[in-house]
């Protein structure tokens, strides 16, 4: 693949629709006033109102680029409010304050947002509310807050529902230890009701998280690891369709998934999301699978009789077709984003060059660029890189670690120069790590092919025909 140095960048077509600033401020103020009104009506201490205000300022202003989007802000505010009647009910029954399942809130937030900082802040807010409503006991605040953090940390990498149960057990144990420490330090007596409540709290936290997480996902459009794993299942109708109708693309997607997962792990991005997103990134190739090199037999080239403009249309249409299929099969937005962003506004270089070579008039570079948008997250950017790197290395006639390293570097440099990574949060340090892990994974993949004598025929050419001899460089065509 030739780097696109010097090529004029084209303005992005599918820009995210930005709402006016005043609408954004109005929404924040409305949600804030709603919460304050509920706190006031429920006669909750004004200290909680002030604390909530500080949290709002932090989440919506001080976090800068990482500030909470409106939907998440609304969902967390509602989750916070649920604890007001919950505490009131427990108070009215005369039950122990340790029945309040504060850790469940932290676990739900961790599972849905995978953001430790957000979990800390939110757990602190709910713990403070609960402590204030039960008389302002500072020790109680620390006990429920720290147990919430333990529960959230245990729920951090939940991949199966049984892990939520384990997090619930951790909540009970940590809360019991902290409670006993408090009793010991204060010289008081162990209250049996409190001790029972501490253990019940773990069970409640497990039950609420177990039931609440899917509800939260549906209501607020979040995506947990558990759902991601369900989407990764090959029994999913859309993946089955890909396997049956475009097996070459499916194989390509698996390799991209492995690369993306390893790279995301390396730079602290959501590795599972990157892998699952990669599985679906090219589903738009299903309707015209035969036009994509990975599904073509050796020597076959469906583009031979087509004009470069027609080839380009088919090529670019796979993004649109992918989005249509995503809608039809109800793919979550977080996965759909990989379909829309995995080419960014890259240039279909091969067909652009072919059109120029054929002496066509009025060839405009922007007509041969994907519509975008450019990757908006680390995960989609990693898939864009993994996708191009995989195709480029696949087209190398005789891959070895040095050639692979060089190709990986060229591809990443070209994408940076072309501005494809301008709208995501990857740093140059991240790109360096990604290049190293791509080289490592691809070298180990191609190692077998290099060392096994079986994989070469008498002429020294590979049997599987991956030398791109059909006239089109695979990396350029894809
Ligand atoms: Fe693609
Ligand atoms: Fe791809």
């Amino acid at each position: 693949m030739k780097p696109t140095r010097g090529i004029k960048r084209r303005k992005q077509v599918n820009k995210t629709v930005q709402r006016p600033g005043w609408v954004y401020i109005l929404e924040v103020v409305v949600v804030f006033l709603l919460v304050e009104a509920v706190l006031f009506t429920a006669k909750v201490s004004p200290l909680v109102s002030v604390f909530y205000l500080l949290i709002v300022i932090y989440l919506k202003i001080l976090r800068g680029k990482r500030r909470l989007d409106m939907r998440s802000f609304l969902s967390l505010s509602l989750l916070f409010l649920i604890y007001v009647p919950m505490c009131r009910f427990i108070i009215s029954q005369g039950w122990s304050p340790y029945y309040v399942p504060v850790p469940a809130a932290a676990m739900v937030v961790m599972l849905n947002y995978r953001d430790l900082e957000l979990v800390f802040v939110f757990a602190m807010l709910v713990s403070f509310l609960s402590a204030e409503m039960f008389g302002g006991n500072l020790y109680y605040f620390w006990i429920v807050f720290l147990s919430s953090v333990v529960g959230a940390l245990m729920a951090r990498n939940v991949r199966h529902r049984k892990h939520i149960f384990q997090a619930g057990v951790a909540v009970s144990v940590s809360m019991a230890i902290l409670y006993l420490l408090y009793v010991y330090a204060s010289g008081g007596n162990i209250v049996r009701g409190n001790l029972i409540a501490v253990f019940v709290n773990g069970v409640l936290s497990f039950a609420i998280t177990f039931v609440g997480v899917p509800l939260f996902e549906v209501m607020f459009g979040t995506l947990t690891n558990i759902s991601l794993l369900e989407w990764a299942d090959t029994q999913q109708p859309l993946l089955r369709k890909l396997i049956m109708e475009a097996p070459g693309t499916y194989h390509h997607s698996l390799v991209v998934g492995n690369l993306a997962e390893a790279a995301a792990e390396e730079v602290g991005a959501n590795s599972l999301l990157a892998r699952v997103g990669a599985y679906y990134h090219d589903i738009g190739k299903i309707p015209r699978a035969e036009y994509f090199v990975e599904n073509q037999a050796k020597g076959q080239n469906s583009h031979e009789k087509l004009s470069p403009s027609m080839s380009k249309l088919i090529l670019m249409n796979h993004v649109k077709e992918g989005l249509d299929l995503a809608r039809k099969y109800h793919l979550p937005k977080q996965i759909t984003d990989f379909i829309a962003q995995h080419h960014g506004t890259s240039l279909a270089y091969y067909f652009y060059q072919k059109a120029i070579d054929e002496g066509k008039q009025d060839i405009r570079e922007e007509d041969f660029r994907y519509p975008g948008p450019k990757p908006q997250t680390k995960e989609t950017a990693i898939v864009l890189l993994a996708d191009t790197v995989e195709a480029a290395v696949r087209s190398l006639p005789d891959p070895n670690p040095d050639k692979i390293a060089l190709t990986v570097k060229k591809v990443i440099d070209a994408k940076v120069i072309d501005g494809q990574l301008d709208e995501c949060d990857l740093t140059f340090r991240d790109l360096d790590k990604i290049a190293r892990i791509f080289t490592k994974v691809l070298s180990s993949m191609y190692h077998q092919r290099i060392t096994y004598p079986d994989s070469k025929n008498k002429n020294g050419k590979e049997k599987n025909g991956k030398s791109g001899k059909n006239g089109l460089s695979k990396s350029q065509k894809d």
Side-chain angles (χ1 to χ4, degrees), residues 304-334:
E304 246 163 25
K305 294 188 179 100
L306 298 179
S307 68
S309 302
M310 186 51 76
S311 293
K312 177 252 327 184
L313 267 183
I314 292 170
L315 205 67
M316 296 199 170
N317 222 30
H318 87 274
V319 172
K320 189 184 161 295
E321 303 252 27
L323 294 175
D324 289 344
L325 279 170
R327 248 188 311 276
K328 192 173 162 194
Y329 285 83
H330 307 291
L331 233 61
K333 184 191 173 295
Q334 291 87 337

Side-chain angles (χ1 to χ4, degrees), residues 252 281-282 285 318-319 342-343 370 387 478:
H252 154 73
H281 80 284
D282 267 343
K285 290 181 178 176
H318 87 274
V319 172
H342 80 276
H343 285 291
Y370 282 91
D387 187 31
D478 193 9

